[in-house]
Amino acid sequence: MHWTKSQLNKTIKKIIGNRLLIIASNREPYIHVYKEGKIEYIRPVGGAVTALDPIMRVCKGTWVAYGSGSADREVVNKNNEVEVPPEAPKYKLRRIWLNKDEENGYYYGYSNKAIWPLCHMAYTGPSFDEVDWAYYKIVNRKFANTILDIVKDKKAFVWIQDYHLMLLSKLLKEKNKNLLTAHFLHIPWPNPEAFRICPQKIEILEGLLANDLLGFHIRYHCNNFVETLRLEMEARIDKEKNSVTYGGHETLIRAFPISVDFEETSKAADSKEIKNTMRKLREEFAVKDGTFVMVGLDRIDYTKGLIEKIQGLDRFFEKFPQYKGRVLFIQKGGLSRMHIPEYKALNERLNSLVEEVNWKHSTEKWLPILFIKRHMSRKEVIALYKIADACIVSPLHDGMNLVCKEFIATRNDLDGVLLLSQFTGAARELGGAMFVNPYDRENFAKAIKKAIELPREKKEKRMKRLRAVVKENNIYKWAGKFLEELKKI
Ligand code: GDG
């Protein structure tokens, strides 16, 4: 079956029925801010939000998230709710307020200094702090209380997102046994040897096992999770059913590779507006005719392999100097989690590395790397993908990665090569990509050369293959398959 928005709509009605649908995530899908005295809203950068907003538009229901914008409090009603999308309301956003200590401990602290590096194993050690953990628990409870308040005595399905809320399901079930809860983790699950160092591991695992359904991007992460349980818990593992029973409660463990809205992105990429935006971007970046343009789009995060990407490019220009002046690499990097010292240091290191590599290879009329930090609208992101001859996605470890799938969805011209790290979840599906190991500088440089020299027919063949996969495995399939599993509970 080919999954579409309307197919998902039917599935939702059948499966969710008269239950209330609640999504819980740290990040909100719309942030209201003051700009020059006026209230505006922005769409935050991040994979989970990109993926879930189209689903909520179809499902209606309530999305519970932390209200982080300067004008967020101004637009909510007495229940802290606001209808979104602001220009054409489709569902409710219920905001939770966090004070500075809670934000520091729960978000910057335990979520991003402990769990994020623990699960990505990208050679940045996790640090576990008692105070951060205490705030992690406080905020998870805050989410639980808000959701219980929304649900009251109604039937409801709560769909929890990501690693910030791993205790939520247990807290909900302790107060309301009739709730149906499912959790999707957008990050990888590490192997048991890596996970066993976590001092709070048992509480986290018990929190996750309170769910009726637990989803990861790929089978490999499910297997790591089950192996972790084998080592740490007295749980019964049913290999046939892919389920785990702990304390008399069964949790189904499944893989659901997340994706993008292929049709919508592909259509948007074809519009006149995008053509204009492409022209503007070419002007802004002073792209000369005949230049081979490569792009990258990542949050500035040590898991995304940005340093390794710049080093790969450096090696490419060293090895193949004939390409100097003929190739331009545009990296859009969104600042992220800047209150955490590792992120600040990475940003500084990246700035100086880009400067060094540019200094080393540039000529009077040409700079090899443009490092763009300003926020880009979705239109600009699509136009950026479209002005590219190649897109380089080179994380050291990534749960899935949506940038590569978005790039593919925009390339209805069948032009454009995808260079993709073999350590992304997406690598398992996207056989038409050119794979790189970001740690292997020599081969990275060679892969860039191969991408530049790839004949048009071969590019088309690869892109056709890639587009067929993303078209089929789209975001509606991800949501539909997830919801269909609920029937088995
Ligand atoms: C996590 C997991 C998993 C980026 N810059 C701008 C912008 N973006 C958008 C992209 C894309 C999204 O942000 C990034 O998604 P990723 O999937 O690459 O990465 P994470 O944020 O790390 O997401 C990841 C994902 O969750 C979903 O499960 O795939 O593995 O780490 O959509 O387009 N969007 C706009 N301006 C920018 O400057 N408008």
Side-chain angles (χ1 to χ4, degrees), residues 2 10 18 23 36 58 60 84 104 117 124 159 166 169 217 236 270 311 323 338 348 363 388 391 407 409 426 434 481:
H2 179 67
K10 281 185 214 144
N18 58 357
I23 284 192
E36 288 155 12
V58 176
K60 316 265 185 299
V84 290
N104 271 332
T124 296
W159 192 357
M166 294 199 284
S169 179
H217 286 301
R236 203 177 70 237
D270 237 0
Q311 288 170 338
Y323 283 108
M338 288 298 277
E348 280 156 20
T363 63
C391 180
F407 172 69
M434 218 173 244
K481 288 273 174 198

Side-chain angles (χ1 to χ4, degrees), residues 45-48 50 116 186 217 258 297 299 304 332 375-378 381 385 398-403 406:
V45 172
T50 312
W116 177 269
H186 294 256
H217 286 301
I258 206 167
L297 176 81
R299 272 185 309 104
K304 299 289 180 187
K332 157 77 181 75
H375 181 78
M376 283 188 167
S377 65
R378 182 163 158 75
V381 168
Y385 291 135
D398 212 336
M400 175 52 63
N401 192 285
L402 291 179
V403 168
E406 285 169 2

Side-chain angles (χ1 to χ4, degrees), residues 12-29:
I12 289 159
K13 285 199 184 113
K14 205 164 73 201
I15 291 169
I16 306 290
N18 58 357
R19 271 201 189 90
L20 201 61
L21 172 70
I22 296 174
I23 284 192
S25 71
N26 168 66
R27 183 77 56 91
E28 49 180 351

